[in-house]
Amino acid sequence: MASQPTKRTSNDISFAGKCFSGGLAGTMATGIVQPLDLVKTRMQLNAQGGGPRLHKTSLHALWNISRAEGPLALYKGLSAGILRQITYGSSRLGAYTWLLQYSTERNKGKPIPFWEKVLDATTAGIFGAVIGTPAEVALVRMTADGRLPPEQRRGYTNALQALFRMAKEEGVATLWKGCVPTVLRAAVLNATQLAVYSQAKEVLVQKFPTSFDTKGSLTHVVASFISGFCCTVISLPVDQVKTRLQTMKGSEYGATVY
């Protein structure tokens, strides 16, 4: 009798495979949420420097941007968003799944405590943020460009051109502008998003076994909503600081606002 083929599990996937899977999933999601990312950046820069408040709500911002710049303007910075997922998204998700697997094996296969999930997620977030900061700077600048007067716009055509011009015109260190708040944001975001997701999924399966199971799509969706809400509320103040720093321009004397 022929032996049955061995079924591969997530534990059999290499670190590179986990990074690739995470980056691919993030890249696909970017194609859907890019307009919301652009709106977030514009809202964070709304009324900056005492200027007029152009957008009252997110829906108002969507309408204003579409009307003033055209519907395709909502996808400005898409190449930078994809590059961010290739660098930051793949490395943080790959690192987290590897760390979570390592921690579980160290705990003899039993569920690890919540604080250890937070530690693993924070470490993964910091690792990904350092790698992904250049793409983050490019994304923020490209999504914010349309709010500036024509003569002040940077006019980046794609993410790679943006990185090249930043390094050439402002120095290589500019690629890591706002790295500290980016790392802090990633640490806070991942500690809540990934750890809360893992914990929420575990609690749902334990408390409501008739409605949720470990592999069920409903479990993943509900856990994702819970973790997404928590990480957004907690990380938004740091994200605001990061956006302001990364879009900041110096004056004619080289001075900066922050």
Side-chain angles (χ1 to χ4, degrees), residues 73-100:
L74 296 172
Y75 280 90
K76 280 182 179 177
L78 179 60
S79 61
I82 291 173
L83 182 61
R84 180 179 65 172
Q85 291 301 333
I86 292 172
T87 53
Y88 167 68
S90 60
S91 56
R92 70 157 183 138
L93 289 173
Y96 177 66
T97 52
W98 183 85
L99 287 168
L100 191 63

Side-chain angles (χ1 to χ4, degrees), residues 140-174:
V140 170
R141 289 189 174 191
M142 290 177 76
T143 53
D145 216 29
R147 61 181 286 277
L148 298 171
E151 66 276 6
Q152 294 182 23
R153 293 176 186 172
R154 294 180 170 99
Y156 301 138
T157 56
N158 58 66
L160 295 180
Q161 192 238 19
L163 296 178
F164 178 78
R165 278 186 51 193
M166 280 189 279
K168 182 180 179 182
E169 297 169 9
E170 304 172 55
V172 176
T174 305

Side-chain angles (χ1 to χ4, degrees), residues 100-109 112 115-116 120:
L100 191 63
Q101 177 187 328
Y102 174 76
S103 299
T104 304
E105 288 174 353
R106 243 179 5 100
N107 204 35
K108 299 178 181 178
I112 61 174
W115 67 264
E116 196 164 352
D120 288 345

Side-chain angles (χ1 to χ4, degrees), residues 11-12 42 55 78 100 107 113-114 150 154 191 232 246:
N11 291 346
D12 298 324
R42 297 289 182 93
H55 315 301
L78 179 60
L100 191 63
N107 204 35
F114 181 67
R154 294 180 170 99
T232 300
Q246 290 173 336

Side-chain angles (χ1 to χ4, degrees), residues 33-45 55 65 69 73-81 84 135-148 154 156 242-243 246-247:
V33 303
Q34 180 64 24
L36 301 180
D37 210 354
L38 183 139
V39 167
K40 174 185 71 73
T41 300
R42 297 289 182 93
M43 293 288 288
Q44 289 175 335
L45 298 172
H55 315 301
I65 296 167
E69 303 172 43
L74 296 172
Y75 280 90
K76 280 182 179 177
L78 179 60
S79 61
R84 180 179 65 172
E136 187 78 33
V137 177
L139 175 64
V140 170
R141 289 189 174 191
M142 290 177 76
T143 53
D145 216 29
R147 61 181 286 277
L148 298 171
R154 294 180 170 99
Y156 301 138
K242 177 191 73 68
T243 299
Q246 290 173 336
T247 55

Side-chain angles (χ1 to χ4, degrees), residues 220-240:
H220 292 294
V221 169
V222 174
S224 296
F225 270 112
I226 294 170
S227 68
F229 176 80
C230 291
C231 78
T232 300
V233 172
I234 294 172
S235 67
L236 196 57
V238 185
D239 194 48
Q240 175 90 358

